[in-house]
Amino acid sequence: MHTFDRLWRSQRGLVGGLVVALILAVGTLAPAIAPYSYSTQSLLTRLEKPSAAHWLGTDGFGRDILTRVIWGGRVSLEIGLLATGLSVIVGTVLGGIAAYFGGAVDTAIMRVADVFMAIPALFLILVVVALFGAGLTNTAAVIGLVTWAQVARIVRGECLSLRARDFVDAARALGASHRRILGRHLLVNALPVIIVQATLLLGQTILIESGLSYLGLGAQPPLPSWGNMIVEGRQFLASAWWVATFPGVAIFVTVLGFNLFGDGLRDALDPRLRAGD
Amino acid sequence: MLARHIVKRFAYAGLMLFGVSLILFAIMRLAPGGPEAVLVGGELSPEMAAQVRARLGLDRPLPVQYSSWVLAAARGDFGRSFKTGDPVATLVVDRLGPTLTLTGGALLLALLVAVPLGVLAAIRRNTIWDALASSLSLFGISFPSFWLGIMLILLFSEVLGLLPPSGLSEYGRESDLGARLRHAVLPVLTLGLIQMASFMRFTRSSLLEVLQQDYVRTARAKGLPDGRVIWRHAVRNALIPIVTVIGLSLPVLVGGAVLTETVFAWPGIGRLAVGAVFERDYPVIMGVNLMIATVVIVANLLTDIAYCLIDPRIAYR
Amino acid sequence: MSMRHQGHRRVLVSLLFVLLGFAAPCPARGAGKEMVIGFLGDATSLNPLVATDGQSYIAEWPMFDSLLELDQNLNVRPLLAESWEVSRDGLTYTFKLKKGVRWHDGKPFTARDVAFTFYAVLDPKVTTPHRAYFDALVGFPELTNKDNPKRPEDLAQKPIEVLDDYTVRFRLRYPYGAFLAVLVNPRAGIIPEHLLKGVDLNTAEFNRKPVGTGPFRFVEWRRGERLVMEANAQYHGGRPALDRLIYRVIPDAVVLLQELRAGGVDFIESPPLTEVARLKQTQGLQVLVADNTSYNYLGYRQDLPPFDDMRVRRAFYHAVDAGTLIRQVLQGYAAPATGQFPPSSWAFDPSVKGYPFDPARAKGLLAEAGWKPGPDGVLVKDGKRLSFSLRHDQANQAVKDTAVVLQEYLKNVGAETRLEPLDWPTFVKKLFASDFEAICVGWTNFHDPDPFAYTIWHSSQWKGRNFAHYRNPKVDEVLEAARRAGSQAERKRHYAEFSKVLMADAPYVFLYFPQQVYVTRQGYEGFVPIPTYGGIYQSLKSVRWTGR
């Protein structure tokens, strides 16, 4: 039984990693591997069933769905990586500072995080998009804005437990500067947690982005986005189910991949952390 | 000590509400355009817009608008919707029923299934149960909720014809409990499945963490029977993260689940709030979001108090 | 039993009743004698004077009459006014009203109600979008002055006079040929003086519980849910065939269609156009199509490069294949547009043609204008690329789809278009601030060329609806003459010239006049698709259920 679990756990990370690698490859190579153009429309081939010419069928404008799914992946990855990067950087820095300095600084930063978590995310996003317009960078920025607080919380928690350890006191005794301790010792040791968080966050941001696209924000035409493909497909559910189905499958597989990978990472990194205890 | 801590938290909560309302107001007014764009149809012109804005009180200086709103809100009067003229409170209360049906039903479903399964997975670790629960929960959190909803509609409504695709109930039979239940199945399932998955993961991992901690090992080493150890120590302490999770899902409980509501044309609070943003219906936006923020803050407060009760040490951390 | 226990018991008993009421079944719908209309959005007010949005017009139309109504050729015919006389100079209109008409509360309808209604329209304290339509009335500037409005009694010549109980006279300050056209619903419903005199019309309870003279009377309005009306047995035009009219609010087009199929509604507007072919073939359903007056277009700031060059504008016109676009985006449910007037209007001049789809010619014109192909395929001139933003409403699916298609067409001739969907309030704000380069939008129009021809194209309206900043002195002249002309023939001449000059300037790429598509259950008959906004709702009084 033990072996079963060990096998499952190591497989999980591996499978996740493979999926992630595949998605990244597809996204990067999109211009090369997509069979058609994602924007050229063709009246004559509207809403065609999946066939040899169009593996995933065509949409309401006659565009090839496989191509748009591939390009949609590229768009989702772009937004996801940008948003996650933003979120992780801001969250890590603020969380680390909060944990290290403690006291008033800690309270202040955590209160700000509280406020961000209290304001309904969708509302914030809608308003920011109304203000600055939708589009790749804006969408990424606003998703980062909404998710940094949870990263900050986790990093702070991790750093708090690390701070209490001997090596921090030792470093301080040796006269190391705040920045050095924070950067070199705390954050570096918190890195495994941060990486795991980032991976899981990437899956989460892709879900958020698809939800935004569903509501009409996010990537704008003619750039396809999995979310807005599903919106378009909803009206054809009765007559052309494939338009809404395949983009959703793509989202599911991608997010699953990131989650598997993140879990596998956590299991791989966790025991080592504990071993160093 | 404990009492002072709680009082401090209450005061802080009040301050937070004020701050959040100010930020909401500021952000909302920064967004370009106003309700006149939606209230007036084809005859829209700058004169017409000015007329409408004046009638709605939007030509007063911003600080005046904010303070008059705050003073009224403190009395419980959240004003009237620009669009329908109904009191905001009425609009919210009208939608509270459907919202609670959806989110409450989903929460209940999630808890009833996820907690036992999560506990089972943690206890029977490294068995087939664990693997099953883990995989299912991993799958569950990878679905986009709106797509899951659409797929469920495709399956149960279009293909199988078993359940209605949307709406609260059938027209002309609003009080028919059976119709309402049938209409609620797919939306609650959509939201519930995803919540179930995340609760399961959380329960399992938090219980696992607790089970590995020293005092549990000590208790086991001392020879206490497993069941007692698990129940009295582990589960009670694992309640903390579970309480956290419930606390985190309370805003969704009250704020509705916008995407699910959109897919199923469910008349909930989430759609009310989102629609209000697109229509610049300021009173509704402020009222609904403040209500959600209140719930969040009160939820935090309650969970804080719950922590203190479960584990008094936390108050001093 | 103590007081508190009694209170508790009462609560419990009431609760029991509530629960029982919950479980009790609702009475079944009266089969066929009522019609449930599916509504995409709720009305905001049921008072024709202060209602500002399209949904409200459609909702209050069955309950209110106007002096005149439209027929299928968009000409006026009598309704509350039996007959009328126009003076030779076109400045005086005298109406003889129908006798024996009663309000829904039984009181008699008289000329005083008409005078009251239109003085209220002129009252600057009332927020109404209809004021501008009555600009021609005598004393208009004095009565509508915001800061110091005069009262009708203070005027030497009154614009509206009650001659006797059934005769009312209007005086104009210039011969306004469109005057009869503005007296039709949904913008000119008559409201009762005996209920609203001295009441603040903006906030009156009446707006939620209206009383009119129309074929249907108000029963109940559950906001966001439904509006119920029943037949007015005393209607002066004869009792309508339907017993009840119910508007049901379902703010989702896909759900609306499902409800129609499932039997929850009997009539819907705007089904997804891609489904219409299937709906036509569905047993038990019928599709109705009505022309409309509003048009969609690709517009630009006329005073901004590159659009200030007429060759560029004409080139873009040649670049777009409107016919294919109509088929692609609207499944053919639109009439091609060649200018401000729809084909169903008397002002439409069929000799004015748009620029034919000819990408080669488009490229030629652009080259002539100095645009040369750049390294990435986009045209370049003096170091600037032919690249601009196209703003549009993000919520309107047809407009979004149109914008995407336009982008392709423009790309084919070397122009790069960046689509910028904006939410409606933001979009409207930018429109009126003239903060845009190119736009794709459809706006409401009117069944008479005035006032929109003037407010959109006259150079004095740059701060108003002429946000594209179009200016042509010849057009100004012609529009002013048309406004002052008394006879339709004279106006037609002026508008014909206007259309020619406009097309020569090619300020917009006029795209299409989308049709209004409705789906209803087979068995309902008597709809008359009048080609103006919501025109079909005027015929609800003649709709009947034949049960087949």
Side-chain angles (χ1 to χ4, degrees):
Chain A
M1 270 307 138
H2 220 316
T3 36
F4 179 98
D5 183 64
R6 196 137 33 122
L7 192 71
W8 161 247
R9 276 206 288 157
S10 66
Q11 293 272 46
R12 200 162 43 171
L14 199 63
V15 169
L18 278 175
V19 173
V20 168
L22 180 69
I23 306 275
L24 283 172
V26 165
T28 331
L29 299 173
I33 58 175
Y36 297 84
S37 147
Y38 62 74
S39 62
T40 314
Q41 299 151 13
S42 165
L43 246 195
L44 303 159
T45 56
R46 283 181 72 240
L47 297 179
E48 277 188 3
K49 276 210 242 285
S51 62
H54 298 278
W55 289 4
L56 298 182
T58 59
D59 69 6
F61 280 111
R63 299 177 290 204
D64 177 44
I65 292 185
L66 178 62
T67 305
R68 287 174 64 82
V69 166
I70 291 175
W71 275 93
R74 184 185 171 86
V75 167
S76 294
L77 272 181
E78 269 176 35
I79 297 181
L81 284 169
L82 199 58
T84 305
L86 221 71
S87 189
V88 165
I89 292 175
V90 172
T92 305
V93 166
L94 287 180
I97 292 179
Y100 181 71
F101 288 107
V105 174
D106 181 16
T107 319
I109 292 183
M110 281 301 113
R111 294 314 169 217
V112 171
D114 277 348
V115 168
F116 268 91
M117 293 181 98
I119 299 180
L122 200 59
F123 164 76
L124 194 60
I125 294 176
L126 283 176
V127 175
V128 170
V129 168
L131 267 179
F132 301 106
L136 290 194
T137 9
N138 290 344
T139 311
V142 85
I143 297 179
L145 199 68
V146 165
T147 46
W148 73 266
Q150 69 191 50
V151 177
R153 276 231 158 152
I154 292 173
V155 171
R156 172 182 176 270
E158 188 66 19
C159 286
L160 272 181
S161 64
L162 286 173
R163 183 175 85 147
R165 302 230 297 253
D166 295 335
F167 69 86
V168 175
D169 294 328
R172 200 125 33 109
L174 284 176
S177 76
H178 287 309
R179 200 155 54 113
R180 204 178 158 77
I181 301 180
L182 188 57
R184 272 321 276 300
H185 298 279
L186 279 184
L187 288 182
V188 164
N189 278 286
L191 210 54
V193 170
I194 297 174
I195 291 180
V196 171
Q197 267 311 117
T199 316
L200 296 172
L201 194 60
L202 201 52
Q204 206 183 342
T205 51
I206 290 181
L207 277 179
I208 297 178
E209 188 277 325
S210 67
L212 288 182
S213 298
Y214 186 77
L215 291 176
L217 315 167
Q220 298 303 324
L223 270 183
S225 157
W226 289 333
N228 63 36
M229 289 172 74
I230 297 180
V231 163
E232 199 213 300
R234 176 157 180 257
Q235 46 176 315
F236 304 123
L237 211 53
S239 46
W241 55 266
W242 50 92
V243 186
T245 310
F246 292 122
V249 171
I251 300 178
F252 172 65
V253 167
T254 306
V255 176
L256 185 65
F258 278 109
N259 285 335
L260 277 174
F261 189 48
D263 268 8
L265 268 183
R266 176 196 282 149
D267 289 338
L269 296 170
D270 241 341
R272 251 195 278 131
L273 259 185
R274 295 207 177 265
D277 213 341
Chain B
M1 247 328 204
L2 191 64
R4 215 180 54 180
H5 178 80
I6 292 181
V7 165
K8 217 169 52 157
R9 298 289 279 140
F10 260 102
Y12 166 67
L15 210 63
M16 274 275 285
L17 271 179
F18 182 69
V20 169
S21 78
L22 194 58
I23 294 179
L24 282 176
F25 182 84
I27 293 179
M28 213 38 239
R29 295 316 172 91
L30 278 177
E36 64 276 3
V38 171
L39 290 176
V40 186
E43 277 91 359
L44 188 59
S45 64
E47 300 84 54
M48 199 58 218
Q51 255 188 70
V52 172
R53 287 183 75 89
R55 183 156 65 79
L56 297 174
L58 294 176
D59 52 349
R60 298 173 296 167
L62 285 180
V64 171
Q65 292 186 44
Y66 177 68
S67 50
S68 77
W69 180 84
V70 166
L71 290 173
R75 289 195 317 263
D77 173 12
F78 286 95
R80 292 174 171 266
S81 157
F82 285 161
K83 185 165 149 208
T84 69
D86 292 324
V88 175
T90 312
L91 285 174
V92 169
V93 164
D94 276 349
R95 281 170 183 67
L96 208 55
T99 304
L100 286 177
T101 308
L102 175 62
T103 55
L107 186 64
L108 208 64
L109 177 68
L111 283 176
L112 285 177
V113 175
V115 172
L117 271 184
V119 167
L120 194 67
I123 299 176
R124 301 251 171 281
R125 198 184 174 189
N126 307 337
T127 65
I128 193 100
W129 295 113
D130 186 11
L132 205 66
S134 305
S135 337
L136 281 178
S137 58
L138 201 57
F139 273 49
I141 62 170
S142 307
F143 284 112
S145 62
F146 57 96
W147 183 73
L148 183 61
I150 292 177
M151 291 294 109
L152 286 177
I153 293 178
L154 185 60
L155 180 62
F156 288 102
S157 193
E158 296 285 342
V159 172
L160 294 176
L162 283 177
L163 291 168
S166 54
L168 194 56
S169 177
E170 273 159 45
Y171 178 68
R173 291 165 63 189
E174 269 91 15
S175 344
D176 181 350
L177 208 58
R180 293 186 91 133
L181 279 178
R182 279 182 43 237
H183 279 256
V185 169
L186 287 183
V188 168
L189 204 62
T190 304
L191 200 58
L193 282 175
I194 297 180
Q195 283 200 322
M196 194 188 302
S198 86
F199 282 9
M200 221 190 304
R201 266 166 80 80
F202 207 82
T203 312
R204 176 183 172 278
S205 67
S206 62
L207 194 58
L208 272 181
E209 211 178 282
V210 159
L211 280 174
Q212 286 182 352
Q213 280 184 11
D214 290 339
Y215 67 91
V216 175
R217 281 197 250 151
T218 318
R220 274 194 173 137
K222 277 207 279 187
L224 287 177
D226 236 12
R228 236 173 105 202
V229 171
I230 289 176
W231 178 243
R232 281 190 80 203
H233 299 275
V235 176
R236 266 232 329 244
N237 278 279
L239 274 181
I240 293 174
I242 293 176
V243 165
T244 314
V245 163
I246 296 183
L248 284 176
S249 29
L250 278 184
V252 173
L253 192 71
V254 180
V258 177
L259 292 171
T260 311
E261 287 176 23
T262 308
V263 170
F264 290 98
W266 193 259
I269 292 180
R271 278 178 86 201
L272 176 68
V274 170
V277 172
F278 283 121
E279 290 161 356
R280 305 289 192 273
D281 198 341
Y282 300 140
V284 174
I285 296 169
M286 294 293 288
V288 172
N289 282 294
L290 199 71
M291 192 190 76
I292 297 176
T294 309
V295 171
V296 169
I297 290 169
V298 166
N300 280 346
L301 195 60
L302 290 177
T303 47
D304 261 4
I305 297 177
Y307 289 162
C308 293
L309 294 176
I310 297 177
D311 184 357
R313 291 180 298 165
I314 296 179
Y316 306 110
R317 225 199 275 162
Chain C
M1 201 178 288
S2 80
M3 282 298 276
R4 232 180 56 185
H5 281 198
Q6 272 196 329
H8 285 184
R9 205 165 76 143
R10 218 169 288 159
V11 168
L12 279 174
V13 169
S14 338
L15 209 62
L16 199 64
F17 272 108
V18 166
L19 286 173
L20 280 177
F22 221 59
C26 252
R29 290 188 6 195
K33 280 308 212 70
E34 67 181 27
M35 188 160 90
V36 180
I37 298 178
F39 227 12
L40 274 174
D42 201 6
T44 56
S45 162
L46 297 179
N47 181 334
L49 209 72
V50 298
T52 50
D53 58 290
Q55 304 289 80
S56 298
Y57 295 161
I58 294 178
E60 49 88 355
W61 206 334
M63 295 187 279
F64 288 90
D65 283 328
S66 42
L67 288 178
L68 309 168
E69 64 175 10
L70 292 171
D71 67 15
Q72 268 191 293
N73 298 315
L74 296 181
N75 291 316
V76 297
R77 62 174 182 212
L79 189 58
L80 279 178
E82 244 175 10
S83 64
W84 58 92
E85 261 169 32
V86 184
S87 66
R88 285 281 293 275
D89 55 7
L91 294 175
T92 312
Y93 287 74
T94 312
F95 293 91
K96 288 246 182 297
L97 304 173
K98 242 179 170 172
K99 298 189 172 56
V101 177
R102 289 192 174 273
W103 293 97
H104 293 155
D105 65 356
K107 299 277 191 305
F109 159 76
T110 69
R112 290 162 56 99
D113 295 308
V114 175
F116 172 75
T117 301
F118 292 106
Y119 276 124
V121 169
L122 296 174
D123 184 351
K125 290 201 298 299
V126 176
T127 305
T128 171
H130 313 313
R131 190 164 305 135
Y133 290 95
F134 293 94
D135 178 87
L137 285 175
V138 151
F140 182 86
E142 294 90 335
L143 289 172
T144 60
N145 187 320
K146 264 197 311 240
D147 304 311
N148 191 12
K150 285 240 170 80
R151 291 174 313 152
E153 301 83 73
D154 302 332
L155 290 176
Q157 243 201 347
K158 294 221 273 288
I160 313 163
E161 272 178 83
V162 173
L163 298 181
D164 62 49
D165 272 354
Y166 299 105
T167 316
V168 65
R169 168 171 297 164
F170 290 86
R171 276 195 223 280
L172 306 181
R173 52 195 182 118
Y174 53 84
Y176 183 49
F179 186 65
L180 289 178
V182 305
L183 289 175
V184 304
N185 241 345
R187 294 191 179 83
I190 308 293
I191 53 178
E193 182 199 35
H194 65 276
L195 288 176
L196 291 172
K197 197 177 175 88
V199 174
D200 178 6
L201 287 173
N202 298 319
T203 55
E205 186 60 26
F206 177 89
N207 300 350
R208 273 189 264 262
K209 296 199 172 73
V211 169
T213 61
F216 290 91
R217 57 182 336 140
F218 175 79
V219 173
E220 80 163 340
W221 185 19
R222 293 189 41 177
R223 273 291 186 36
E225 243 186 79
R226 65 164 175 261
L227 170 64
V228 183
M229 297 176 257
E230 67 182 8
N232 176 6
Q234 271 76 47
Y235 186 55
H236 60 87
R239 185 195 187 286
L242 290 172
D243 284 342
R244 268 156 59 106
L245 211 57
I246 301 167
Y247 284 81
R248 207 183 138 201
V249 182
I250 301 174
D252 183 304
V254 178
V255 176
L256 203 56
L257 192 57
Q258 285 161 354
E259 287 290 335
L260 179 70
R261 286 207 176 99
V265 301
D266 302 313
F267 179 96
I268 67 170
E269 55 177 23
S270 316
L273 292 173
T274 44
E275 297 291 307
V276 175
R278 262 199 341 156
L279 289 167
K280 277 198 168 139
Q281 288 160 348
T282 306
Q283 266 274 23
L285 292 181
Q286 53 174 325
V287 173
L288 306 164
V289 177
D291 285 327
N292 200 355
T293 52
S294 48
Y295 60 91
N296 281 48
Y297 59 89
L298 167 63
Y300 352 84
R301 275 281 300 281
Q302 308 289 304
D303 51 350
L304 221 56
F307 314 110
D308 52 354
D309 184 338
M310 176 154 56
R311 289 168 297 194
V312 172
R313 299 198 300 267
R314 288 187 176 176
F316 286 162
Y317 215 124
H318 281 297
V320 176
D321 184 358
T324 307
L325 195 151
I326 292 176
R327 277 200 308 282
Q328 215 165 351
V329 173
L330 299 171
Q331 321 308 314
Y333 287 101
T338 54
Q340 176 68 20
F341 311 122
S344 50
S345 164
W346 52 263
F348 176 69
D349 185 351
S351 72
V352 174
K353 304 256 187 270
Y355 297 84
F357 175 55
D358 191 343
R361 180 121 181 73
K363 291 189 188 151
L365 278 169
L366 287 168
E368 229 181 272
W371 292 92
K372 314 231 175 315
D376 57 354
V378 174
L379 295 177
V380 178
K381 177 175 164 186
D382 302 329
K384 281 203 71 194
R385 293 166 79 241
L386 188 58
S387 168
F388 50 86
S389 64
L390 178 73
R391 299 199 155 140
H392 63 269
D393 176 17
Q394 76 183 19
N396 185 327
Q397 191 60 42
V399 168
K400 273 166 71 159
D401 293 343
T402 303
V404 172
V405 173
L406 287 173
Q407 190 183 42
E408 272 292 295
Y409 280 130
L410 290 172
K411 185 163 116 175
N412 288 342
V413 299
E416 179 186 70
T417 322
R418 296 182 314 268
L419 294 186
E420 279 183 26
L422 300 170
D423 74 5
W424 183 246
T426 310
F427 180 60
V428 166
K429 176 137 197 242
K430 291 201 189 292
L431 270 186
F432 281 105
S434 300
D435 177 11
F436 58 86
E437 294 175 293
I439 47 175
C440 178
V441 66
W443 209 278
T444 43
N445 206 343
F446 195 55
H447 53 262
D448 190 280
D450 213 69
F452 282 83
Y454 186 86
T455 56
I456 297 178
W457 300 105
H458 197 277
S459 59
S460 67
Q461 306 290 311
W462 276 26
K463 288 259 179 284
R465 234 174 256 111
N466 190 351
F467 34 71
H469 291 182
Y470 175 75
R471 187 206 299 276
N472 184 328
K474 185 83 184 108
V475 164
D476 286 351
E477 202 186 295
V478 173
L479 286 174
E480 281 157 27
R483 251 198 168 179
R484 286 344 194 210
S487 75
Q488 201 182 79
E490 212 185 319
R491 294 174 75 206
K492 190 173 164 118
R493 259 191 313 112
H494 290 303
Y495 286 126
E497 197 179 341
F498 159 72
S499 298
K500 282 194 185 50
V501 177
L502 199 67
M503 187 50 86
D505 278 340
Y508 291 167
V509 179
F510 292 98
L511 294 171
Y512 51 79
F513 288 93
Q515 290 174 317
Q516 305 168 91
V517 181
Y518 306 97
V519 189
T520 183
R521 208 164 295 291
Q522 207 108 46
Y524 284 105
E525 267 154 54
F527 291 101
V528 180
I530 306 218
T532 182
Y533 177 71
I536 207 171
Y537 294 95
Q538 182 183 284
S539 63
L540 285 176
K541 55 191 171 189
S542 49
V543 171
R544 61 189 177 283
W545 170 249
T546 59
R548 270 176 277 115

